[in-house]
Amino acid sequence: MPFLQLSHVNIGYPTKKGVRMVQSDLNLTAHEGELIALIGKNGCGKSTLLRSIAILQPIWQGHILLNGEDLSAITPNKRARLLSVVLTEHESVASFTVRELISIGRDPYTGWLGSLTEEDNRIISEAIGMTYLEGFEERNIHELSDGERQRVFIARALAQDTPVILLDEPTSHLDLPNRINILLLLQKLARETGKTIFLSTHELETAMQVADKLWLMEKERGVTVGVPEDMVLNGCFDTVFRHPSYEFDKEYGSFVVQKLLDKSISTRVQHPNGLMARWTTKALSRKGYRISPGAPLELFVDEENRCWTIHDGERTVVTHSIEEALQKIADLYVER
């Protein structure tokens, strides 16, 4: 039996004209220890689905079961021991120290007095260790960088000690190193703790490298589930992210901008799969050159001597960087 199961679930939100349904008749499952990334274009319902699983907003049809229990039918306190949530709206937190904020994760267990036991403190310290926050305990939360602060909120969710953690856009507002570090941390936590971790993200290319499953959402058209590699091969991304300005490159697992190629050049290369050849082709494309055999200008990429030689029938020019080669090619085009 699946650990978490959505059965015929409709999700949406109320408006003045009634319920605005975002997705209908969702039938989805997740297993213990899986890192699941929710991806899709804006407006497809990623955040709405996460908030619905967490019962932070009502579902309009169907049931969400965790270990066979209907999450809508249990008390909030019991639910807080099953699901922990990291939302993007946590910027205006009070002036807590790192340890104080992480300790809030123990609230479902401490009762109205909020007294921490030895066991509570052990779990808090483990959460601090798992998120690499040793030495930060007495720092004020407002003194931290965005990446450090996000790790604190993940640690608070770990301290809550729930089998499921849901994170809404955990890498938004972070720079590239921190975005990658957060996703790698979540992957590590899912593997080592056995927790089922859901995250919504726009970081498709990175999520593909760390997530066990992708839930690919299309606006009002449901959710496609699969491992990243199968979804590349079966063309899911080509369909969902089809756009005249870019396309999904199946070979490299990344999006490629469609450029205006209004000039032509022919090329010769010693090693077609070499780095110089690959990045030279990218540079030519960025500058609007289409690779076309028989074009009046020819560029020879010489990986052994690490140089680029341009022929225009009469002249030969040797350059020693892509920047220099692009400039000489442009000059020769003008002279022609």
Side-chain angles (χ1 to χ4, degrees), residues 180-314:
I180 293 173
N181 286 338
I182 290 295
L183 291 176
L184 287 174
L185 172 62
L186 295 174
Q187 181 191 51
K188 178 176 182 287
L189 293 174
R191 288 178 177 176
E192 294 184 357
T193 67
K195 296 180 186 297
T196 304
I197 300 178
F198 292 86
L199 67 122
S200 64
T201 182
H202 290 289
E203 302 291 328
L204 171 60
E205 295 172 24
T206 311
M208 287 172 57
Q209 299 178 61
V210 299
D212 298 299
K213 293 277 182 65
L214 299 179
W215 286 11
L216 177 59
M217 303 183 68
E218 291 186 75
K219 190 173 182 179
E220 300 178 350
R221 296 184 63 183
V223 182
T224 302
V225 178
V227 300
E229 296 78 11
D230 280 337
M231 298 181 82
V232 170
L233 293 175
N234 64 27
C236 288
F237 302 131
D238 302 340
T239 301
V240 176
F241 295 106
R242 181 180 290 116
H243 194 275
S245 299
Y246 56 80
E247 65 180 3
F248 185 77
D249 187 321
K250 290 185 176 180
E251 183 176 357
Y252 296 105
S254 60
F255 289 99
V256 178
V257 176
Q258 292 296 302
K259 306 170 186 74
L260 174 62
L261 305 179
D262 55 358
K263 295 167 285 200
S264 62
I265 189 170
S266 65
T267 59
R268 287 190 299 119
V269 296
Q270 288 177 320
H271 305 289
N273 297 320
L275 281 176
M276 280 179 61
R278 182 178 301 172
W279 286 99
T280 299
T281 300
K282 288 178 180 289
L284 291 170
S285 175
R286 176 169 54 82
K287 285 296 187 179
Y289 293 96
R290 178 186 294 105
I291 307 301
S292 177
L297 280 184
E298 180 190 71
L299 176 65
F300 173 54
V301 182
D302 185 345
E303 296 223 10
E304 289 183 7
N305 297 302
R306 197 167 180 80
C307 64
W308 292 258
T309 304
I310 306 145
H311 303 282
D312 74 343
E314 299 177 357

Side-chain angles (χ1 to χ4, degrees), residues 139-150:
R139 294 270 299 276
N140 188 286
I141 189 69
H142 295 297
E143 298 173 357
L144 306 183
S145 69
D146 289 340
E148 292 165 345
R149 190 183 305 190
Q150 188 64 288

Side-chain angles (χ1 to χ4, degrees), residues 67-112:
N67 256 351
E69 284 195 282
D70 190 329
L71 289 174
S72 297
I74 61 178
T75 65
N77 184 265
K78 184 174 183 180
R79 197 159 51 236
R81 298 185 182 205
L82 297 174
L83 300 163
S84 51
V85 185
V86 180
L87 300 176
T88 51
E89 308 95 44
H90 54 52
E91 300 300 326
S92 57
V93 293
S95 186
F96 290 110
T97 66
V98 166
R99 190 174 185 93
E100 287 171 343
L101 185 56
I102 295 171
S103 298
I104 293 173
R106 298 305 299 162
D107 281 0
Y109 307 91
T110 57
W112 66 275

Side-chain angles (χ1 to χ4, degrees), residues 102 122-133 155-156 158-159:
I102 295 171
R122 181 190 65 79
I123 292 171
I124 291 165
S125 295
E126 284 184 357
I128 288 170
M130 283 189 286
T131 50
Y132 311 109
L133 288 167
R156 185 179 68 180
L158 286 171

